[in-house]
Amino acid sequence: MIPASVGMASSPYLLLFLLYLFFLFANVAPASGHVYGAPKEKMTHLHFYFHEIYGGPNTTTITVVNPPGNNSFNNFGSIGVGDNMLREGPNPSSKLIGRAQELAVQASLESPAYLSAFNFVFTAGEHNGSSISIFGRAVLTETMERGIISGTGKFRMAQGYTISMLVWRTGTTEIVLVVEYDAYIFHY
């Protein structure tokens, strides 16, 4: 017979050894038998044109809030919404590839600078049914860079940025804007 002091001394080591074996095999053999691998990140570059009409019978953007005493979207505190067109080219008759659903706030006291949030919803072509969400500062007289903060469909879990620049502006009562966009989208 083994003395009680020897048997008691070895039992904690046996318990530790059994726990070690349990954790070793639990980590090596997942329940499904498959080892999970994260999907590989991809980068997609899109080039398109944003078409906006402000005023007139075919308006795609309206001012929904004007600060007291002001009636222009260029005044601090004005809020506008839009459902604008995304097209393959700068020509108004170029192929429609999606919609740009927008909320913009004139957020600068010094000059027209907008805090803008967009959902670019693609309705044609390879990315039909997918969208990206864009957020950032817009100053139409400058090259604009804004962040891509999410996406859906093929652009699920998207992040990235857009570079855009006003390429055409016309009108006084019906203002037509065309903005060229390059979107660099990182997604899975």
Side-chain angles (χ1 to χ4, degrees), residues 10-23:
S10 65
S11 103
Y13 295 112
L14 178 62
L15 181 61
L16 286 174
F17 179 71
L18 291 174
L19 282 173
Y20 169 76
L21 288 176
F22 172 77
F23 286 114

Side-chain angles (χ1 to χ4, degrees), residues 75-151:
N75 290 316
F76 176 73
S78 296
I79 300 173
V81 295
D83 187 11
N84 302 297
M85 297 151 288
L86 299 177
R87 297 191 176 275
E88 282 186 344
N91 190 314
S93 63
S94 63
K95 182 180 177 184
L96 182 69
I97 61 167
R99 305 296 296 191
Q101 297 162 338
E102 164 190 24
L103 173 66
V105 178
Q106 208 301 54
S108 174
L109 287 169
E110 297 170 2
S111 64
Y114 303 93
L115 173 67
S116 62
F118 286 100
N119 280 327
F120 285 179
V121 181
F122 298 98
T123 58
E126 179 184 350
H127 307 295
N128 184 18
S130 299
S131 69
I132 53 175
S133 297
I134 297 150
F135 189 79
R137 186 172 193 258
V139 179
L140 292 176
T141 58
E142 302 173 0
T143 298
M144 298 167 277
E145 181 175 346
R146 289 176 268 198
I148 296 172
I149 57 173
S150 69

Side-chain angles (χ1 to χ4, degrees), residues 47-63:
H47 181 82
F48 52 86
Y49 292 82
F50 168 95
H51 293 250
E52 176 177 26
I53 304 167
Y54 186 78
N58 299 315
T59 192
T60 60
T61 297
I62 61 170
T63 301

